Amino acid sequence: MSKLIESYDNSMQVQKPNKFVKKSKEILSTLHAFFHGNPPAIIGSLLISIVLIGALMAPVLASHDPNKRVARPHVAPNAEHVLGTTRSGRDVYSQVLHGARKSLAVALSAGIIAMTLAVAVGVTSGYMGGKVDEWLNFVTNVFLVFPQLPLLIVLAAFLGQVGSMVITILLGVTSWPWGARVIRSQTMAIRNKEYIISAEVMGESKIRIILVEILPNLISIVFGGFLGTVIYAMGSEAGLGILGLGDATEVSWGSMLYWAQTSSSLYTGAWWEMIVPATALAITGGSLALINMSIDQVSNPKLKTGPHMKLWKKLKREADQRRGLL
């Protein structure tokens, strides 16, 4: 009996590594298929990885405390302060690293809130139809009528200087309608597919059909909308910061631009105080846009390029030869 138990344990130990190896190979194969012949994905992932590593490792990589005066005002970039100092004598390099944490946290959190609302409203409206669709579509249209950035400016001005938490909620609550419209239209396109009808005939619940049958087919659209919302939220947070409607005591890319504008850094020759956070915003937004573009190229056959297009042309040519068209 003990030998049987021991042999069973050994077989289970052999199966677990095999399953792990198989799963790892599937993940690597998926990543290879995504990055192979997809330069936007490679460049975008490399740039955003550098930004994320800098943000996560800011306490280690930063050379000074971002909130303390460490040198004379407007010291040009040198060996000690590689990106110079601000008008208040703070190290710009340390500020841009710590500011990345705040700006990315606001943008990512706002993107999660917005896409959660967009998925909930869009999928429910597109699948349920009828009165539910009418009411949810009405609410979506109401939110679409209001211009988002002016609305944010009015709300932030009404509330006074607001912190990152309030900005995150404002951006998340006002950024979901466009994503909801796209998800609704895609849900309406697939709700009459054979596998959806089969699941309904088999008596599956609507919640399970939405979670298991519909949502997996919307992953690329949801992720693309999430990246677009993150880019918009990052720019909006910086815009509110420049206008002085954010919390200027928090270190973020928006507050850095605000203080650079307040001190007239470009006019006084301290270009680094303005250029550094602006470049960080441009690189981060550009890398996310490249990843979003690469997702479109993989998920949309009409946009496939590189080896994907070469393979398609080769298969088409072979098919035309078999049909006698060549």
Side-chain angles (χ1 to χ4, degrees), residues 17-234:
N18 289 338
K19 291 182 179 180
F20 177 76
V21 171
K22 183 178 179 181
K23 192 66 175 178
S24 301
K25 289 182 178 179
E26 290 178 357
I27 295 174
L28 291 176
S29 177
T30 303
L31 291 175
H32 179 266
F34 177 70
F35 287 105
H36 180 61
N38 200 347
I42 298 173
I43 298 173
S45 299
L46 179 61
L47 291 176
I48 196 63
S49 297
I50 294 173
V51 173
L52 290 175
I53 291 173
L56 293 174
M57 300 293 291
V60 179
L61 298 176
S63 55
H64 300 85
D65 189 330
N67 293 310
K68 290 184 178 180
R69 180 171 181 171
V70 295
R72 293 183 295 105
H74 284 169
V75 174
N78 53 44
E80 183 180 358
H81 305 284
V82 292
L83 295 178
T85 63
T86 66
R87 185 178 181 179
S88 58
R90 298 174 182 177
D91 185 63
V92 175
Y93 170 70
S94 302
Q95 282 201 325
V96 77
L97 288 177
H98 285 271
R101 310 183 83 180
K102 184 67 66 175
S103 295
L104 289 176
V106 170
L108 292 173
S109 300
I112 292 173
I113 294 173
M115 288 314 299
T116 300
L117 293 173
V119 170
V121 174
V123 174
T124 304
S125 177
Y127 178 69
M128 301 296 291
K131 291 294 184 180
V132 175
D133 181 32
E134 291 181 6
W135 281 104
L136 291 178
N137 198 31
F138 171 75
V139 173
T140 303
N141 291 333
V142 169
F143 273 86
L144 284 173
V145 169
F146 297 101
Q148 295 182 10
L149 191 56
L151 179 62
L152 288 172
I153 293 174
V154 171
L155 290 175
F158 176 75
L159 296 173
Q161 280 195 341
V162 294
S164 57
M165 180 64 69
V166 178
I167 292 178
T168 300
I169 296 174
L170 290 177
L171 291 172
V173 171
T174 58
S175 302
W176 61 269
W178 287 108
R181 292 297 295 269
V182 174
I183 294 172
R184 171 182 175 270
S185 63
Q186 189 65 21
T187 303
M188 293 177 68
I190 66 176
R191 70 178 179 182
N192 292 324
K193 297 290 184 180
E194 290 80 1
Y195 59 91
I196 301 294
I197 298 175
S198 300
E200 292 175 344
V201 171
M202 293 175 62
E204 299 289 349
S205 63
K206 293 183 179 180
I207 296 178
R208 188 183 185 282
I209 292 175
I210 291 174
L211 296 177
V212 178
E213 303 294 345
I214 295 179
L215 282 182
N217 294 285
L218 302 175
I219 290 178
S220 61
I221 295 176
V222 172
F223 194 69
F226 169 74
L227 292 179
T229 305
V230 169
I231 296 172
Y232 170 77
M234 193 181 307

